[in-house]
Amino acid sequence: MKIINKNTTRALFTSALVLLLAACNGESTVPADSVASVTFSSQAEEGATAFASNCAACHGASLEGTTLGPLLSGNSFLQRWGTQTPALLLNNIQANMPPGGNDGISDEDYTNIVAHMLSFNGVDTITEALTASTNFEIADNISQVVARRSRPEPEPPQGITVAGTVEKFTPITDAMLENPDPADWPMHRRNYYGHSYSPLSQINTDNVKGMTLAWVWNMYEGDSEPAPLVYGGIMYLINPGNVIQALDAATGELIWENWAGPANRQDMRNIAIYNDKIIQATTDARLIALDARTGEQIWETEVADASKGFSNSSGPIVADGKVILGLAGCARYIPEDCYISAHDANTGELEWRFNTIAKANEPGGDTWGELPDLFRAGGETWITGSYDPDLKLTYWGTAQQKPWVPVSRHLTIDDVGLFTNSTVAVSTDTGELDWFFQHVPAEALDLDEVFERILVNRGDDKLVFSLGKYGILWKNDRVSGEFQDYKETVFQNAFTDIDDKTGLVTYREDIQNAKLNEWTSACPSSAGGKDWHSMTYHPPTGTMIAPLSQTCLENAAREVALVQGGGGLAASRKFFEMPGTDGNLGKIGAYNVDTMEEVWSHQQRASFHTGTMSTGGNLVFVGDLDRRFKAFDVTTGEIVWETRLGTSVQGHPVSFAVDGKQYIAVTAALGGTSPRAVPGVILTEIKYPRSGNAVYVFALPD
Amino acid sequence: MKLGHKTFSKLVTSIACTLTLVFSVNAVAQSGTFRARLSPMPTTPQTVTTITGEGEVILTLEGNTLKVTGDFVGMNSAATMAHVHNGPPAQPGPVVHQLEVTKMTGGEISAVLELTDEQVMALHNNELYIQVHSETNPPGELRGWVFARN
């Protein structure tokens, strides 16, 4: 978009005036430099216009954030940028924003936008114009922040806000986690194998038509993709802003509530339960254990330094007595990189770390070209892993290298960047890498393979399945990591070949050689294929049932300077419908895990925004953007029940039983990153309320 | 490790493609009905309100003659041109034919085209697409790949 920049116009006018006066051999009575003088205030004023044209569509006119982009004001902004400098902020947004492309946005415009953001967030102690090297600490120049440091203001809720006690609580053991009671849903995807399958069959294909709402509970607003836990008739529910509630799972009565902070609107997908503790990761990369009976905090530890950009959006898995969790926010050029870490479940004490980025002197370190360690970024582990108690291995997906395109990261398509975009099998005893399989080396389109790993036993075969943004369902041996087979679940044109013996992919030549600012068109888009919404494995039929998405993108790499504190994602993107889908963004695909053939599929206009969850009643549940929550027959793919909720259905459905009665629960929610942002520019006809986070619980009538 | 079926599948596909090529070049008298769904060109949050509309185009092939009829609605500005392009799904390519289009934000698309043998083959391989240009979106506002009609 072309910006009419007042400063540019003024500068041109001034230059013309000087030239004109010089030509006339006259003298100006006004020094040229005073006419063109620029201050922080004038930059902020110009920046408001530039922000409105280029940023407000996603971040809101008042920087309040929308479903397409995060808020850029208040505590959230201060937490992320308060200790950073304007130069780093400028560097970051120049490399990454706006995501649709930066044609016509000058360096001056970017500087003005930064001035506007700083002014809006209260920077008021400077007058001098910002430059590309302005390096004061942002928070130090906000009078209100400085005053607050000496005069504490009322804090948001912290700790227990509703007191209560879960009666008759039985501590949960390793054995109970290895073989969960059918009535319980005691971890993110119910069992260590990550099946998202409940053996309960009271609600089944014959009677599901009679299923009705049992109770509903409104949740705090914000981005949300939660998987409730249910243990012993109690639902433990993670809300946006790091709030956990314990509810009676049969009635929806609140028992206790704990605010771990920070009180923001950010997302956390899951929590864990072990022994007598609820264990949560926080959005600012802390790990906290609460008493499952009362919600009182037992211990707290730091996973990583949030002021350096680290965060968590998924919680831990407790395996072999260790709390194991990943890390996000690893795109910056700083000495610290991403890792998976294990902590003692009783104390929070760190036991081991596995680093997902190989440094130059480490195994795999030669796969990053000549890039110094400081500039090796990415490899986030933002989706919780699985666990094989027999092999004592935990299986995780890793995200791709950052920035997104090889040329932006000063590498080539041959610099595969271990251990990114891989399945890693890590010893729960030591944290040592047992094996890895890199699904898409040198990833080049922001299509990562980070999602859930599903463990399946077929005869003597011990397998691990995964499905990433390219929409390829991968089957590997989970003892050795050896590639077994693959299935393309949606149209993809990024690879010209997938070797059916090794699984090695070959990118299209134009993707391999993409230059800076050169548009490349490919399918699927960065919304997936498949994204964070977990697929389910239905053991009775040997079927993997996946929620899929069908969109494509145009992608153009941006230049990223190799400077400490810089980095980022660095690509412009545009999105469009996937050809051949008749505009159906949503797809549910069921795949036989032995043959890898598609058994059935269902396509619809609205994109799906929950994981799939299957049951012993031969049902699979899923929810969509258009507020519909549906049940399919696992065998035929026929829709056998559906209802409509208050807003978009998003999160991870679960099933549980209390006093012998089966329930199905799902959340309605907002946010959800790329899988919401991409349909946001394609499914413009689908309307849903911008509030309404809630958990809905269904059952058959008594 | 049981992997042979995909290698076999690729071999079969290669043979089928070769036979199709030979058949197509030597005997182009084919018929069929095809369809393109027109939807907005690649968009962003900044352009989602200025690249708009949808439409449907039906294409009927008799021999090398392709009859094109379609309609569209809801563009952001009046249509200026419409073309058939040659490019595999989701990969832009060059213009190969011009189409008649109503010079309004909604209207009709039509043409009767004589395709080359190569273009007939491209049609069968889903390698043709239709693009409608407009006053405010000269590079294109609506686009849709052509697929055999079910």
Side-chain angles (χ1 to χ4, degrees), chain A residues 321-399:
Chain A
K322 299 176 182 69
V323 183
I324 302 174
L325 82 166
L327 193 58
C330 312
R332 275 198 210 178
Y333 293 153
I334 54 177
E336 300 89 345
D337 290 321
C338 244
Y339 42 77
I340 299 166
S341 57
H343 300 256
D344 184 297
N346 291 317
T347 64
E349 188 179 345
L350 180 68
E351 297 208 354
W352 53 254
R353 281 180 179 163
F354 168 73
N355 295 313
T356 59
I357 301 294
K359 295 192 184 302
N361 61 351
E362 297 174 345
D366 57 352
T367 61
W368 290 80
E370 300 299 317
L371 204 59
D373 289 344
L374 179 65
F375 305 117
R376 301 178 178 203
E380 293 86 347
T381 42
W382 56 276
I383 294 291
T384 310
S386 305
Y387 173 54
D388 184 329
D390 296 326
L391 298 173
K392 293 240 178 150
L393 293 176
T394 184
Y395 299 87
W396 291 70
T398 60

Side-chain angles (χ1 to χ4, degrees), chain A residues 484-486 500 521 577 582, chain B residues 1 3 6-7 35 37 90:
Chain A
Q484 297 288 301
D485 207 348
Y486 74 96
D500 56 12
S521 182
E577 288 180 5
D582 204 22
Chain B
M1 193 158 58
L3 304 167
K6 286 205 172 66
T7 307
R35 175 178 176 271
R37 169 187 159 79

Side-chain angles (χ1 to χ4, degrees), chain A residues 207-389:
Chain A
N207 62 19
V208 68
K209 279 191 167 55
M211 194 169 73
T212 56
L213 185 68
W215 57 268
V216 60
W217 174 262
N218 283 5
M219 297 171 65
Y220 290 104
E221 295 298 341
D223 292 358
S224 189
E225 312 161 15
L229 297 188
V230 182
Y231 172 66
I234 306 299
M235 175 180 289
Y236 299 94
L237 186 62
I238 179 71
N239 281 245
N242 306 290
V243 180
I244 294 181
Q245 296 162 329
L247 300 155
D248 183 313
T251 65
E253 284 295 320
L254 180 65
I255 300 169
W256 59 255
E257 177 180 276
N258 183 297
W259 290 57
N264 52 31
R265 294 169 60 89
Q266 294 174 7
D267 188 7
M268 181 57 61
R269 294 183 187 85
N270 64 294
I271 53 180
I273 183 168
Y274 183 69
N275 204 336
D276 59 351
K277 300 176 186 66
I278 297 294
I279 303 173
Q280 70 177 126
T282 63
T283 54
D284 61 350
R286 292 173 296 137
L287 192 60
I288 293 171
L290 306 178
D291 186 321
R293 297 180 187 85
T294 63
E296 295 284 355
Q297 183 174 312
I298 297 173
W299 55 255
E300 175 178 343
T301 190
E302 182 181 279
V303 178
D305 185 348
S307 72
K308 294 179 177 174
F310 293 113
S311 61
N312 278 105
S313 60
S314 288
I317 183 172
V318 182
D320 196 24
K322 299 176 182 69
V323 183
I324 302 174
L325 82 166
L327 193 58
C330 312
R332 275 198 210 178
Y333 293 153
I334 54 177
E336 300 89 345
D337 290 321
C338 244
Y339 42 77
I340 299 166
S341 57
H343 300 256
D344 184 297
N346 291 317
T347 64
E349 188 179 345
L350 180 68
E351 297 208 354
W352 53 254
R353 281 180 179 163
F354 168 73
N355 295 313
T356 59
I357 301 294
K359 295 192 184 302
N361 61 351
E362 297 174 345
D366 57 352
T367 61
W368 290 80
E370 300 299 317
L371 204 59
D373 289 344
L374 179 65
F375 305 117
R376 301 178 178 203
E380 293 86 347
T381 42
W382 56 276
I383 294 291
T384 310
S386 305
Y387 173 54
D388 184 329

Side-chain angles (χ1 to χ4, degrees), chain B residues 12-149:
Chain B
V12 169
T13 304
S14 301
I15 293 169
C17 288
T18 306
L19 290 174
T20 303
L21 179 68
V22 171
F23 180 78
S24 299
V25 170
N26 291 320
V28 294
Q30 301 181 58
S31 63
T33 307
F34 301 81
R35 175 178 176 271
R37 169 187 159 79
L38 301 181
S39 59
M41 290 282 286
T43 55
T44 70
Q46 299 140 283
T47 61
V48 69
T49 57
T50 57
I51 302 177
T52 60
E54 63 178 332
E56 182 182 47
V57 180
I58 304 298
L59 307 94
T60 308
L61 181 69
E62 286 289 342
N64 282 38
T65 303
L66 187 69
K67 185 182 177 190
V68 182
T69 59
D71 49 48
F72 63 98
V73 295
M75 292 216 307
N76 185 248
S77 63
T80 53
M81 297 180 290
H83 301 121
V84 177
H85 293 246
N86 183 192
Q91 292 184 66
V95 172
V96 292
H97 285 284
Q98 195 134 8
L99 303 171
E100 296 295 320
V101 62
T102 308
K103 302 291 196 303
M104 298 175 70
T105 57
E108 296 180 348
I109 297 169
S110 61
V112 177
L113 309 173
E114 281 302 311
L115 303 187
T116 65
D117 290 348
E118 290 74 21
Q119 289 167 357
V120 170
M121 200 159 64
L123 178 65
H124 285 290
N125 289 340
N126 312 323
E127 292 181 348
L128 296 182
Y129 67 93
I130 289 167
Q131 188 160 316
V132 183
H133 306 257
S134 69
E135 290 174 354
T136 53
N137 290 291
E141 183 156 353
L142 290 177
R143 187 173 69 175
W145 262 263
V146 180
F147 288 85
R149 195 179 191 186

